[in-house]
Amino acid sequence: HHSYWNLAGHGSGDILGHRWSGEPIELLYVDLAKTWPIWNHLAASFVPSLAVGGVIVQQDWAHAMTPWLHLWQHRWRDHFETLGHVPHGGTAAFRLVRALPPEAFSPTGAADHPDIDEAFDWAVSFVGPDMRAEVEGARRRAHELARAA
């Protein structure tokens, strides 16, 4: 058994108080973007270091309460290759094929995404039938947040 623990960054505490060192990231596994402010922080602090050719894994892709993931990935979809989703799981992966512009790292909210239905038509298009209900739930949540904004 070979340990890879030393190759992964890890820590504890409030992520909003942490920033990435700026070192290139080849694999960014996102499993803590449970709120829009946390996602905005990750997009501003970690995603800029994602190397072209690197992969971002969105662990909560098929989760009804994380619509910011779908909206952000859709907005910047031309910069990514969709690698697909984990069958019978909620995770999706994307390879960065073209550098993101600086505005990709700016905070957004529901009101900044007038294309909610287009984004979710895209987001649901590559998940299995067993995950579609969760992604559709995220669509409904995005509309709720946009109405409240």
Side-chain angles (χ1 to χ4, degrees):
H1 176 263
H2 188 277
S3 174
Y4 294 98
W5 189 248
N6 64 326
L7 299 177
H10 55 87
S12 62
D14 183 355
I15 189 64
L16 296 176
H18 293 277
R19 298 233 175 259
W20 184 246
S21 66
E23 293 286 321
I25 297 173
E26 293 180 27
L27 175 64
L28 180 57
Y29 193 98
V30 178
D31 184 21
L32 61 115
K34 309 301 189 205
T35 68
W36 210 313
I38 290 173
W39 171 248
N40 279 336
H41 176 72
L42 296 174
S45 302
F46 291 81
V47 176
S49 294
L50 185 64
V52 172
V55 173
I56 185 169
V57 179
Q58 299 284 14
Q59 194 270 332
D60 291 317
W61 190 256
H63 191 292
M65 298 305 288
T66 57
W68 38 87
L69 302 179
H70 311 89
L71 295 170
W72 188 89
Q73 284 291 162
H74 176 259
R75 176 169 286 174
W76 304 109
R77 69 192 178 282
D78 293 339
H79 294 261
F80 289 91
E81 170 191 3
T82 301
L83 299 177
H85 81 287
V86 175
H88 311 294
T91 302
F94 307 87
R95 180 182 321 280
L96 184 64
V97 296
R98 198 162 56 96
L100 289 161
E103 55 268 24
F105 316 124
S106 297
T108 65
D112 299 314
H113 297 276
D115 55 348
I116 290 172
D117 286 318
E118 180 185 328
F120 281 92
D121 289 347
W122 171 82
V124 79
S125 71
F126 56 86
V127 297
D130 54 334
M131 294 293 113
R132 288 195 183 119
E134 284 291 330
V135 177
E136 289 297 342
R139 178 196 308 256
R140 287 188 298 278
R141 181 70 179 136
H143 280 295
E144 289 169 7
L145 292 170
R147 281 192 299 275

